Amino acid sequence: AQNEERNDRAGHFHIHFHKMILNYLFGHYEEAREQADLTRPFLDAVLAKFDVAVFHFYEALSYLALAGVSDSKDRNKLLS
């Protein structure tokens, strides 16, 4: 709520970014993908930071993990 009141885009980014990483590390790949989707709109708030590369890394790992347990139709959608 505080981040919304202050329009703190970097704060929003970091909240969802760290949730994405934690969900991935604990094997909650669908939740990690959802957090990645929530993080993406806030990437412009941290463009000059290393976090952008780490975001793309964990987002890709989440999609790959989901593709590994999906049927072929969903796998193609996840990997495209």
Side-chain angles (χ1 to χ4, degrees):
Q2 281 184 329
N3 291 334
E4 290 176 15
E5 291 171 7
R6 294 182 306 195
N7 196 25
D8 183 5
R9 296 179 56 76
H12 277 290
F13 170 85
H14 284 287
I15 288 168
H16 296 298
F17 172 70
H18 291 288
K19 282 183 172 183
M20 174 188 66
I21 292 172
L22 287 171
N23 277 306
Y24 175 79
L25 292 175
F26 284 104
H28 303 245
Y29 305 124
E30 182 61 36
E31 290 87 350
R33 187 200 56 79
E34 290 170 6
Q35 289 300 320
D37 291 344
L38 293 171
T39 303
R40 184 169 287 285
F42 299 105
L43 277 172
D44 63 335
V46 293
L47 282 179
K49 298 193 182 266
F50 184 69
D51 295 335
V52 174
V54 177
F55 165 78
H56 289 295
F57 177 71
Y58 278 98
E59 180 186 38
L61 288 177
S62 299
Y63 275 93
L64 288 171
L66 285 172
V69 297
S70 299
D71 60 26
S72 62
K73 181 183 174 188
D74 290 336
R75 184 177 302 123
N76 290 336
K77 188 176 180 180
L78 286 166
L79 296 177
S80 62

